[in-house]
Amino acid sequence: MRVKTRIAPSPTGYLHVGTARTALFNYLFAKHNSGEFILRIEDTDIERSEAKFEDDIVAGLKWLGINWDGEITRQSERIDIYETYLKTLLADGMAFYCPHSQAELDEERKKQVANKFSPQHTCDARGKKLGKGLIRFKNDTEKTVKFKDEIRGEIEFDPALLGDFSLAKDLRTPLYNFAVVVDDATMEISHVIRGEDHISNTPKQILLEEALGLQQPIFAHLPLILGKDRSKLSKRHGATSVIDYKNEGYLPDALFNFMALLGWNPGREQEIFSKKELIKEFSIDRVQGAGAIFDMTKLDWMNGEYIRKKPLKELVELSKGFFQFPISNSQFSMLEKVIALEQPRLKKLSELPEKTDSFFKEPEYDAELLKWKQMDNLTIKNSLETAKSILQLVAENGMTKENLEKLFLAKAGKDRGELLWPLRVALSGKKFSPGPFEIMEVLGKDKSILRINAAIFMLK
Ligand code: GLU
């Protein structure tokens, strides 16, 4: 079978990680099977669709490297096609115009809910040829609607519960369940892989496929993405838009890898997978039905792993945009050294400015921070004077981490912290930072001495 999948987002919000994960699974499945993966923008909801959201979805998928084949399709450009199908259904008596007002329908729904019936509308105006109003499907189905979900197995529905479900607001304003059926069939989508929140739409779509004599795709409904507390992922758990992850300094490859494991498991311990490996290994059989937990700590870890794999030059390029304070040309060469220092422990690029600002401007800190264990001001001062005197004797070309380490450790007492802690704080102004030798190598001799002097001055 020729495999063709799609992601069909509605441009009514920013690209959500749930949609991105669905896109990713469709992409991996298609590519694994040497098939096609397309992007279809479902923009028939004119009131809620916005161009800026389409732009965001497109940019987000591109950023993640979830590349679709061919041109983007927009439902708003296919209105004539839907109209043709609607006219056929109306002419064949399989669809009809419903005259009831929203208020009447709301009233009916309220009563049904109060009486513990699942809400649906079976219209009393099915036979009338009205020519205006909501277009509904005449649902006379008696037999159970069944389909085999690739992830969940056989699923059954009682068709009576669906009522005469709606197809379009008018001939030129189709609604989701109708447009999606026409599109999936005419675009020859072989597999519909989407979130489990669409399971309840599936019987309607199957009935429509049967009514229109269209080919039914294979369905696979992916598990919901849950927060750590097992409730549906929401803003409460952290960012839900792909753009937020980008702005936080997550790398696209890391997010790609992380999302691939949201519901799919490779069947072994390995967690870091390249795109190529994922394409090679992905299969629907290994997608679970139960909710997939979005573990932020794991994402941070994984992002760190990807940061460490990045060639330094690339990492510097990627990091530039995260610095809000101006970096002068002379400081620019320092940026590479500084980022090299942070690369081994960085979790996300947005941490860089705060972690490295002391390289670019004089540190500001509380004198208390200079204190190691029980040291008093005088001993701290003496320790800093010792550090300074060691540094003053170092030749400019001796300002390497290795050499400095050798010189300082030779002079350090039993508790190295007494020499190294005040020194490191004087240089960085921070409780946590790279070690003093690395910092001095980057800052150079003169700047390092100035900072030690500033610390000594604070203790007076
Ligand atoms: N436009 C629908 C959505 O964004 C598509 C659902 C589907 O894949 O059928 O949820």
Side-chain angles (χ1 to χ4, degrees):
M1 183 206 285
R2 182 103 193 87
V3 167
K4 189 171 181 186
T5 63
R6 61 11 174 229
I7 183 70
S10 303
T12 53
Y14 295 102
L15 178 61
H16 189 276
V17 287
T19 309
R21 193 272 312 248
T22 303
L24 176 59
F25 281 28
N26 275 283
Y27 169 84
L28 292 175
F29 180 76
K31 296 301 140 187
H32 176 86
N33 292 292
S34 313
E36 268 180 279
F37 163 68
I38 64 155
L39 170 59
R40 182 172 75 223
I41 300 287
E42 303 210 322
D43 57 351
T44 49
D45 185 340
I46 302 151
E47 274 128 54
R48 292 173 57 227
S49 296
E50 286 187 47
K52 69 167 187 204
F53 294 135
E54 179 181 321
D55 293 345
D56 180 75
I57 291 166
V58 167
L61 292 174
K62 276 194 187 154
W63 177 71
L64 284 165
I66 304 176
N67 305 320
W68 57 91
D69 296 302
E71 299 290 315
I72 300 174
T73 313
R74 284 179 202 83
Q75 288 191 324
S76 56
E77 290 161 8
R78 294 168 57 81
I79 300 296
D80 290 343
I81 302 175
Y82 309 126
E83 183 171 1
T84 311
Y85 280 92
L86 278 172
K87 282 181 170 162
T88 308
L89 286 172
L90 284 163
D92 294 350
M94 288 187 283
F96 65 94
Y97 285 98
C98 166
H100 296 287
S101 68
Q102 193 56 49
E104 287 173 302
L105 296 169
D106 288 346
E107 189 56 31
E108 179 181 53
R109 165 183 280 263
K110 239 167 64 199
K111 274 194 201 138
Q112 288 167 338
V113 172
N115 292 318
K116 305 220 175 338
F117 286 117
S118 72
Q120 52 101 344
H121 176 67
T122 302
C123 201
D124 53 13
R126 288 163 146 214
K128 297 183 188 158
K129 294 232 180 308
L130 291 168
K132 68 175 204 298
L134 195 69
I135 301 172
R136 290 184 181 275
F137 182 66
K138 190 163 115 220
N139 180 14
D140 293 322
T141 321
E142 276 167 12
K143 66 173 195 333
T144 308
V145 185
K146 284 186 202 162
F147 72 97
K148 186 178 160 284
D149 187 282
E150 290 297 291
I151 296 165
R152 285 146 216 280
E154 188 113 293
I155 302 184
E156 293 190 358
F157 290 89
D158 175 357
L161 299 179
L162 306 173
D164 295 331
F165 56 87
S166 47
L167 303 177
K169 289 189 183 165
D170 56 56
L171 281 176
R172 300 197 61 82
T173 317
L175 293 168
Y176 162 69
N177 277 309
F178 168 70
V180 84
V181 163
V182 172
D183 285 345
D184 286 339
T186 54
M187 296 176 186
E188 296 176 320
I189 299 299
S190 63
H191 294 73
V192 166
I193 304 169
R194 59 186 173 195
E196 73 173 34
D197 44 331
H198 284 290
I199 291 180
S200 59
N201 288 319
T202 309
K204 298 179 187 171
Q205 295 171 13
I206 291 173
L207 290 180
L208 275 171
E209 277 145 13
E210 286 172 0
L212 288 165
L214 298 171
Q215 176 74 30
Q216 184 182 310
I218 293 166
F219 292 103
H221 288 94
L222 304 176
L224 279 182
I225 301 179
L226 309 176
K228 256 205 145 156
D229 59 358
R230 305 203 140 265
S231 68
K232 194 176 164 193
L233 188 72
S234 73
K235 287 247 153 70
R236 254 183 329 110
H237 299 103
T240 53
S241 297
V242 169
I243 185 83
D244 294 333
Y245 287 93
K246 183 178 180 211
N247 293 341
E248 272 286 299
Y250 290 93
L251 302 185
D253 301 355
L255 197 54
F256 189 102
N257 186 160
F258 176 76
M259 289 193 307
L261 300 174
L262 286 177
W264 173 77
N265 85 76
R268 61 194 139 87
E269 291 287 296
Q270 185 182 344
E271 299 210 271
I272 303 289
F273 289 89
S274 69
K275 189 172 185 176
K276 231 169 133 186
E277 286 175 297
L278 288 170
I279 291 173
K280 187 159 167 265
E281 300 210 17
F282 186 83
S283 77
I284 295 272
D285 311 345
R286 289 202 162 277
V287 177
Q288 74 206 36
I293 310 272
F294 193 103
D295 181 348
M296 216 55 96
T297 318
K298 180 168 156 185
L299 173 59
D300 282 354
W301 164 78
M302 197 174 269
N303 201 51
E305 294 295 302
Y306 277 84
I307 285 177
R308 282 176 267 303
K309 285 203 285 184
K310 274 267 168 248
L312 182 59
K313 287 251 179 315
E314 266 179 59
L315 194 62
V316 175
E317 275 311 310
L318 290 168
S319 304
K320 276 197 235 164
F322 287 86
F323 290 89
Q324 243 108 60
F325 45 86
I327 294 173
S328 66
N329 281 345
S330 62
Q331 288 169 327
F332 209 83
S333 61
M334 206 201 251
L335 191 62
E336 190 170 319
K337 294 182 196 157
V338 167
I339 290 178
L341 279 189
E342 294 296 337
Q343 191 172 12
R345 72 199 115 229
L346 203 60
K347 290 202 192 81
K348 45 191 178 184
L349 303 182
S350 59
E351 296 171 339
L352 274 172
E354 206 239 304
K355 280 193 189 270
T356 64
D357 60 354
S358 55
F359 286 101
F360 300 102
K361 52 179 202 239
E362 294 312 308
E364 282 169 36
Y365 57 93
D366 197 11
E368 259 304 290
L369 198 56
L370 292 162
K371 186 170 162 181
W372 172 254
K373 291 184 182 164
Q374 304 305 321
M375 288 171 95
D376 59 19
N377 279 6
L378 188 64
T379 28
I380 302 170
K381 211 175 123 243
N382 289 340
S383 157
L384 288 167
E385 292 286 2
T386 308
K388 187 165 84 174
S389 64
I390 301 170
L391 199 53
Q392 270 163 341
L393 294 176
V394 181
E396 205 52 73
N397 63 5
M399 288 297 292
T400 63
K401 177 185 171 256
E402 292 73 26
N403 188 45
L404 291 165
E405 185 163 3
K406 200 177 80 207
L407 295 174
F408 277 81
L409 291 187
K411 287 274 160 63
K414 228 170 118 203
D415 183 356
R416 289 173 175 187
E418 290 189 0
L419 180 63
L420 300 186
W421 177 274
L423 171 64
R424 194 188 57 73
V425 172
L427 294 165
S428 69
K430 290 189 198 304
K431 192 166 176 185
F432 303 107
S433 76
F437 315 121
E438 287 104 319
I439 302 179
M440 289 190 285
E441 175 175 338
V442 176
L443 284 179
K445 183 170 166 176
D446 293 348
K447 262 202 188 141
S448 301
I449 291 176
L450 280 176
R451 289 187 182 192
I452 296 171
N453 279 338
I456 293 171
F457 186 77
M458 275 170 85
L459 293 167
K460 285 199 173 134

